[in-house]
Amino acid sequence: MDRYPAVEGHGLIGDLQTAALISKDGTLDWFCAPRFDSPSIFGGLLDRRIGGHFQVCPEDVDYVSKQLYVPGTPILITRFLSKDGVGEVTDFMPVAGEQASDRHRLIRLIRVVRGTMRFRVDCQPRFDYGRGPQDLDAHADGNVFRGPTLNLTLNPIGRIERVRGTYRERTAESVCVVGTFQEGDEGGVLLDTASPDPPRVVGLEEARELLEQTRDFWRRWLDRSRYTGRWREMVERSAMTLKLMTYAPTGALIAAPTAGLPERIGGERNWDYRYTWIRDASFSVHALLGLGFVDEARQYLRWLSDRVRDAHDGGVPLQVMYRVDGSPDLTEEVLGHLEGYRGSGPVRVGNAAAGQLQLDIFGETLNSIHLADAHGLQSSYHDWLRLTRLVDWVCAHWDQPEDGIWETRAGRQDFTYGRLMSWVALDRAIRLAQRRGRPADTARWTRTRDAIYEQIMMRGFHAGRRAFVRHYGGNVLDAALLTMPTVGFISPTDPMWQSTLRAIDAELVSDSLVYRYDPVASPDGLPGDEGTFSMCTFWYVQALAESGRLDDARLTFEKMLTYSSDVGLYAEEIAPTGEQIGNFPQAFSHLSLISTAVNLDRLLDSR
């Protein structure tokens, strides 16, 4: 671990309660347990020296490595190719189920398919983001690392010590085994968190059976997809990635499985995304229903209904984000002992933006419920009553400064996108009440909706720039407004929209990639700049397509697909160098890829 791997040089595996990142050199450098938002056990991605890692790679040989997934699954294969041999490491996590558990298994299988290859297996966990004390208990058939709140058991798979030339090293904090594999040799390690059992030698047949069970689970799940369009491979990979980032016990979708990866190398925009944003998860309903995954949409809506209930019972509005179990405490903390990815500090865990006022989340909430209702997922009587209180709250509070979708830390503004999504909240609530004949003060809702519409048209459109702008009184553009035609606020052929799109073309688009906004022209309270925002690029594709520029839309979409990682994953942003930056993989990016592919297919087919 003498250098940091590229962010996009990782594959993701998971068991639907937590996840792990594994780099192309065979290093597991990010893994939190027992949940996505738990402290890290392996955190070398944020500090190569003290973060902890588990590396399985060739020893003392020049090699080229490549990664791929077993088709139709998130089972990751890392291949190592040298002149003397070819070896493979297969990584996967058996599905943990829908009951929250501290126990999680991660399996790393080694196999040489040609010639010979000497492998190094080096396990150095560091509990609690590298802060916690730990002990190592050595057993005849494995090892147990004991942390402050969790144990990690290393169970060998097969008799790895029978591999020729094997030697073993142990310290108080690490275990290392090195041995030469011949063609056909197999072995590996099964990591087990919170196991009540002592270490044991796991048979190869048992490991293969777990591999087959994991493979079959994911293929059965993927068979439920209805998507058969032009970009099936990328759409299915995105769907599996979103499923991997969903906490099965509650149905909550996290924004990303990582924390602290920088939006700019060496910069301070380093946030913890291991939580469930109301906005992100609401977008998931659209993507999931578009692919036919109704059960996942239903489970998320149940989680969302619980959050609306909690807000109603507590007499508070919806919070921007929550933990996967629905708890609201996301106190932000700086981990000053970690240097950060490639020296990008500070490393933050928790997220202070949870306490911000972001008016757009109410629109995304009602939009997802409206869409689900159209697919037969209706709200209960009590859910509807709580929703009406939520909409009444929007009626009383929409016309005030807020922090906005991009969670700026430079003070509140009258953001146009927040007003737009407040309009969506009221519009969808009115449609729901009328469609189902539900009791509601629709007269008040209609008056408020129309007042928001008029205000946006009068104050959100800058006559000099001939464009809708980021906030009232300013002249800065905002890529979030690319969604205006998509949500039905304005016709894509309206001259006001066409001129807005041309302005965004000229100012925020760089070789098909889209920036969120210009932080120099509109300071957001943080130093430095950032890369292009992948979700905004996909939104731009949809805006082009809806505006009749289908050829431009398709070319832009195809260009964007070239920026994915080797295994089809996207981070939050793309740097000017083309490398991926920010937390990885990012739900926003994959959600918008799916929705864009589905809509673009429909428009191309209709043409």
Side-chain angles (χ1 to χ4, degrees), residues 466-506:
R466 296 183 55 79
F468 290 99
V469 291
R470 190 169 182 230
H471 58 75
Y472 297 167
N475 63 357
V476 176
L477 302 178
D478 187 346
L481 299 178
L482 287 165
T483 61
M484 294 181 84
T486 305
V487 299
F489 181 84
I490 193 170
S491 166
T493 60
D494 189 299
M496 295 174 72
W497 172 248
Q498 289 287 325
S499 60
T500 298
L501 185 56
R502 287 193 296 270
I504 290 175
D505 272 334

Side-chain angles (χ1 to χ4, degrees), residues 277 319-321 330 332 351-358 407 409:
W277 270 251
Q319 192 166 287
V320 172
M321 69 189 88
L330 281 77
E332 188 169 292
N351 202 307
Q356 290 187 347
L357 174 64
Q358 299 176 20
E407 299 178 353
R409 301 194 176 192

Side-chain angles (χ1 to χ4, degrees), residues 350-373:
N351 202 307
Q356 290 187 347
L357 174 64
Q358 299 176 20
L359 291 172
D360 65 283
I361 66 170
F362 302 99
E364 281 113 15
T365 297
L366 268 297
N367 197 36
S368 65
I369 293 171
H370 173 264
L371 180 64
D373 182 87

Side-chain angles (χ1 to χ4, degrees), residues 14-16 71-75 93-95 212-224 239-245:
D15 66 0
L16 307 186
T73 78
I75 298 171
M93 296 182 69
V95 176
E212 291 170 1
Q213 291 172 358
T214 304
R215 177 200 64 196
D216 293 345
F217 169 87
W218 284 99
R219 287 181 174 171
R220 284 194 304 270
W221 180 80
L222 196 58
D223 281 344
R224 292 162 45 202
M240 280 186 282
T241 302
L242 294 173
K243 179 72 170 175
L244 281 172
M245 293 193 289

Side-chain angles (χ1 to χ4, degrees), residues 82-351:
S82 74
K83 66 177 183 178
D84 295 323
V86 176
E88 294 181 346
V89 177
T90 300
D91 290 293
F92 67 98
M93 296 182 69
V95 176
E98 296 185 357
Q99 296 297 317
S101 174
D102 287 347
R103 191 171 186 184
H104 302 277
R105 294 171 295 172
L106 192 155
I107 296 172
R108 313 202 70 185
L109 289 172
I110 306 169
R111 182 170 73 104
V112 168
V113 297
R114 177 179 63 80
T116 65
M117 185 166 283
R118 191 165 177 80
F119 272 93
R120 178 184 183 86
V121 179
D122 181 15
C123 186
Q124 299 186 29
R126 297 292 183 267
F127 294 92
D128 190 23
Y129 306 112
R131 296 179 299 191
Q134 64 187 49
D135 296 310
L136 174 60
D137 292 345
H139 296 249
D141 290 328
N143 300 272
V144 180
F145 290 95
R146 301 193 183 279
T149 60
L150 196 70
N151 295 337
L152 180 69
T153 303
L154 273 68
N155 303 286
I157 298 174
R159 289 290 181 180
I160 196 168
E161 67 271 14
R162 294 179 182 172
V163 174
R164 66 186 60 191
T166 298
Y167 72 86
R168 187 189 311 268
E169 296 177 353
R170 286 194 184 96
T171 71
E173 298 181 326
S174 67
V175 171
C176 179
V177 179
V178 179
T180 301
F181 284 68
Q182 303 287 333
E183 184 173 325
D185 284 347
E186 293 184 77
V189 176
L190 186 154
L191 289 180
D192 200 347
T193 66
S195 172
D197 304 317
R200 65 185 178 90
V201 177
V202 178
L204 281 169
E205 286 302 317
E206 180 183 348
R208 293 190 190 111
E209 184 177 352
L210 289 170
L211 177 67
E212 291 170 1
Q213 291 172 358
T214 304
R215 177 200 64 196
D216 293 345
F217 169 87
W218 284 99
R219 287 181 174 171
R220 284 194 304 270
W221 180 80
L222 196 58
D223 281 344
R224 292 162 45 202
S225 171
R226 294 199 305 252
Y227 182 78
T228 58
R230 295 166 176 81
W231 300 283
R232 183 171 179 176
E233 183 176 352
M234 290 299 294
V235 167
E236 289 185 345
R237 181 54 56 197
S238 290
M240 280 186 282
T241 302
L242 294 173
K243 179 72 170 175
L244 281 172
M245 293 193 289
T246 300
Y247 185 64
T250 63
L253 173 70
I254 60 170
T258 57
L261 290 180
E263 297 174 13
R264 177 177 177 269
I265 301 302
E268 297 182 13
R269 301 166 185 261
N270 318 316
W271 315 112
D272 188 351
Y273 277 14
R274 298 171 299 156
Y275 310 113
T276 300
W277 270 251
I278 293 291
R279 176 189 306 111
D280 303 35
S282 294
F283 285 154
S284 74
V285 173
H286 184 274
L288 291 169
L289 291 177
L291 299 181
F293 293 112
V294 178
D295 289 344
E296 283 73 15
R298 180 185 292 110
Q299 191 176 20
Y300 164 69
L301 288 167
R302 188 179 303 120
W303 181 90
L304 177 62
S305 176
D306 289 343
R307 305 291 76 73
V308 173
R309 182 200 61 212
D310 293 345
H312 175 270
D313 294 347
V316 295
L318 274 178
Q319 192 166 287
V320 172
M321 69 189 88
Y322 298 85
R323 292 188 179 273
V324 291
D325 62 357
S327 58
D329 181 19
L330 281 77
T331 302
E332 188 169 292
E333 175 187 2
V334 171
L335 302 181
H337 66 289
L338 298 179
E339 73 171 8
Y341 178 78
R342 292 168 59 182
S344 303
V347 173
R348 299 180 179 91
V349 294
N351 202 307

